[in-house]
Structures are given as C-alpha cells and as structure tokens.
C-alpha cells in the first residue's frame, strides 16, 4: 500500500519539491467546487492537456457510461505522459483507474454553502446531483480518501478548503513553472 498519505491542508513547502514532477494531475471535489476552472488554469500554466471527465463520461440525456466501458476509456486517457483530469462522478465513478497513475491529487473541499450557491448560479441540476452534493462530506469524501490511500499512496495530495488557499496554490504553481 505504500507510505501513509500526508495531505497538505492549504499550502506547504512540499509544493516546491513536487511541482517539477507534477505531470499527471487528478482534481476531485464536490460539485460546483471549481474543478474545471482550476484544471483550465493549471493547463494554461503547465501546457498539459486538460480532460474534463464530465464531457467524456456522460452520454446524451445525462446517461451514465457503463462502469466497464468507463474503466477502459480512462485506461486510454491515463496512458498519456502528462495530463490534468478534473471530475468527480460520485457513485458512477471508477476513480481508482486514474488514481493509480496520478502523481498529484488536488481535492477541493469547499463548503456545502459555497458549492450550492455556485451550482444554483451556473445551471439547473438534477435531483441526484443535489443528493450527492448534500451527502458529499459524509458519504463520498470518506470513500475517496480510502481510494486515494489504497491506489495513490505515493501521490502528493493537496486538500484546498477555500478560495484563498486555491489562489495561493495556483500562484505557487505559476511561479514554479516560470523558474
């Protein structure tokens, strides 16, 4: 299983050490936490391709891709040498596929209120989205942390709890990429 995870809450000096090796980035978090926005920002900084998993996974009419097919599709995506993948598909996901090859995991652990407000502003959402959003910290987050411990123990885990920590993280990655 490897060494126990040492998540960094906010930012740490470890960011400088691993920024040079940040090539396969997985961004997770509650719905409307800003995963896609962060992925695009990091993509511009690093030049890595950004893969928005919602666009790959969901079929017309928001039908979920079958799990076996989703595993195969992810297997092809993660074979590339560098990428940024954003998406947290909750109970539909097979997150272990991308966790196994990730060197960096960013978890946006923003408050329910912040994410609910953002979701209300951006679009209409289905009832299953709202159930997932409400139960994220009590149900989904423990499952994700277990999956990270089991499948990505050597990856650097950044847990960002607010927009200020996120801004500092992006600024540090940007500074590091310019040096």
């Amino acid at each position: 299983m490897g060494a126990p995870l040492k998540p960094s809450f906010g930012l740490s000096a470890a960011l400088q050490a691993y920024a040079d090796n940040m090539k396969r980035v997985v961004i997770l978090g509650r719905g409307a936490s800003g995963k896609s926005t962060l992925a695009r920002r990091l993509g511009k900084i690093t030049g890595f391709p950004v893969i928005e998993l919602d666009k790959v996974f969901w079929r017309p009419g928001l039908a979920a891709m079958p799990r076996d097919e989703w595993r195969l599709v992810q297997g092809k995506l993660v074979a590339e040498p560098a990428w940024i993948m954003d998406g947290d598909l909750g109970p539909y996901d097979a997150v272990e596929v991308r966790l196994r090859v990730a060197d960096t995991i960013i978890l946006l652990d923003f408050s329910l209120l912040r994410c609910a407000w953002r979701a209300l502003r951006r679009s209409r959402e289905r009832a299953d989205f709202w159930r997932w959003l409400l139960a994220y910290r009590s149900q989904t987050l423990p499952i994700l942390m277990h999956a990270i411990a089991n499948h990505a123990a050597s990856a650097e885990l950044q847990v960002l709890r607010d927009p200020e920590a996120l801004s500092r993280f992006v600024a540090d990655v940007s500074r590091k990429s310019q040096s």
Side-chain angles (χ1 to χ4, degrees), residues 44-59:
K44 285 182 183 175
I45 293 168
T46 63
F48 299 159
V50 173
I51 303 162
E52 190 175 338
L53 296 178
D54 277 340
K55 291 180 179 177
V56 178
F57 177 79
W58 295 105
R59 294 183 168 171

Side-chain angles (χ1 to χ4, degrees), residues 4-23:
L5 290 173
K6 292 178 243 156
S8 36
F9 297 92
L11 292 176
S12 70
L15 175 62
Q16 297 302 315
Y18 87 86
D20 289 334
N21 297 319
M22 190 171 82
K23 303 258 186 292

Side-chain angles (χ1 to χ4, degrees), residues 9-124:
F9 297 92
L11 292 176
S12 70
L15 175 62
Q16 297 302 315
Y18 87 86
D20 289 334
N21 297 319
M22 190 171 82
K23 303 258 186 292
R24 293 176 166 183
V25 181
V26 171
I27 303 174
L28 301 166
R30 188 184 300 224
S33 60
K35 296 179 296 293
S36 297
T37 301
L38 174 60
R40 286 189 299 272
R41 289 172 73 188
L42 291 177
K44 285 182 183 175
I45 293 168
T46 63
F48 299 159
V50 173
I51 303 162
E52 190 175 338
L53 296 178
D54 277 340
K55 291 180 179 177
V56 178
F57 177 79
W58 295 105
R59 294 183 168 171
L62 287 178
M65 185 181 294
R67 185 174 293 275
D68 288 342
E69 183 179 346
W70 181 228
R71 288 178 200 275
L72 291 173
V73 168
Q74 283 187 89
K76 291 176 184 169
L77 294 172
V78 302
E80 297 300 318
W83 39 258
I84 299 167
M85 287 189 197
D86 83 87
D88 192 330
L89 302 165
Y92 303 103
D93 213 345
V95 69
E96 67 279 359
V97 175
R98 57 192 183 275
L99 289 178
R100 285 185 187 122
V101 296
D103 56 51
T104 305
I105 301 164
I106 303 167
L107 176 64
L108 300 181
D109 188 22
F110 291 178
S111 72
L112 169 61
L113 185 60
R114 179 178 305 281
C115 295
W117 175 246
R118 287 179 175 179
L120 286 168
R121 287 188 352 198
R122 77 176 183 193
S123 66
R124 298 182 79 120

